[in-house]
Amino acid sequence: MSMQSNKIKTLYQRIPLWKQLYYKWRSIRGVPLRKKFFVGYDLEANTYWEFYLDRQQTRPRRLVEPYKPQPLLFDYFNKLPIQWTQWLRYTRRVPPTIEEILKDEERIRNLQTLSQFKEHEQTYNKHLQQEKIHQNLQKELHKLEEKEDKNRHDDAVNAARFMQKSGYDLNETIQHQEVKEKPNTKLDRDASSLAHDPWKRADTSDHPQEATMTPRR
């Protein structure tokens, strides 16, 4: 209501009292030789008129006179109230009142507010849905990880039970494998010395050969 009262106050500031009286006098249709009649104005102080080109004309023509004239009148029609636009196009017979225009503007504001609220609600619901999907994915991943950990634990337990039933000792098996793979360093050194020392190789030979001398020619 405060917005409506402010608009009415602004309207009456644009249209002073003397001009209101002038418009009221111009709206009287019984004045002789008068061809142009005042019909009303909107919240922007634009005035609307009817006029006759001659007395034989049955339907009057309609026009709007802007409060602030524009270079092109067609550019101004986008700013006119829809009720007055309908009246100018003869789709409305009775001209609208200020109260009707104010109610329609309030209805439009309520629709815009409701539309914004609905948009915010849809955005919020979409965010909640995405958050719920993310939480479900996290739960499924957690379940898979727990299942994998349980499977690994079960495999380890089953392997230990199998080895225990078979009579294997894991420590003895590892020690035996280490001893088996450990090289005999002493034997390796003896074999290496025999390969490089011919005298030792001759002493250890089972079939010694006699030394022969070949005369020089």
Side-chain angles (χ1 to χ4, degrees), residues 175-192:
Q175 291 177 1
H176 178 71
Q177 186 175 2
E178 290 179 353
V179 170
K180 186 177 180 181
E181 293 179 354
K182 186 175 181 181
N184 193 345
T185 56
K186 185 176 181 181
L187 293 176
D188 292 342
R189 285 197 300 270
D190 294 341
S192 177

Side-chain angles (χ1 to χ4, degrees), residues 100-145:
E100 182 182 354
I101 296 175
L102 289 173
K103 288 181 180 179
D104 188 68
E105 287 188 353
E106 184 179 2
R107 180 184 63 84
I108 293 174
R109 285 194 301 270
N110 293 334
L111 288 176
Q112 290 176 351
T113 304
L114 183 61
S115 176
Q116 291 177 358
F117 176 76
K118 196 68 177 178
E119 184 178 358
H120 292 324
E121 184 181 4
Q122 290 178 356
T123 304
Y124 178 72
N125 292 334
K126 185 177 180 180
H127 177 72
L128 286 180
Q129 187 176 5
Q130 291 178 353
E131 187 69 22
K132 187 176 181 180
I133 293 173
H134 180 71
Q135 291 178 0
N136 292 333
L137 288 175
Q138 292 295 329
K139 288 180 180 179
E140 293 296 329
L141 290 174
H142 185 65
K143 288 180 180 179
L144 289 175
E145 290 177 356

Side-chain angles (χ1 to χ4, degrees), residues 146-162:
E146 289 182 349
K147 188 175 181 180
E148 290 179 357
D149 294 340
K150 185 178 180 182
N151 291 334
R152 285 196 294 267
H153 181 266
D154 293 341
D155 293 340
V157 171
N158 293 331
R161 289 177 179 175
F162 175 76

Side-chain angles (χ1 to χ4, degrees), residues 41-99:
Y41 42 77
D42 56 18
L43 297 175
E44 301 297 329
N46 304 313
T47 57
Y48 299 85
W49 302 77
E50 285 183 342
F51 66 96
Y52 295 89
L53 295 177
D54 52 41
R55 289 293 179 178
Q56 297 179 357
Q57 187 176 350
T58 57
R59 190 176 71 171
R61 296 190 177 185
R62 297 173 178 177
L63 61 87
V64 56
E65 292 183 356
Y67 176 73
K68 293 181 179 180
Q70 300 291 332
L72 295 176
L73 188 60
F74 294 99
D75 297 336
Y76 204 81
F77 272 90
N78 295 328
K79 302 178 182 179
L80 297 179
I82 185 64
Q83 293 84 0
W84 280 113
T85 303
Q86 292 174 351
W87 181 82
L88 290 171
R89 294 176 178 175
Y90 296 96
T91 57
R92 181 187 178 109
R93 183 176 181 181
V94 181
T97 60
I98 297 296
E99 291 77 10

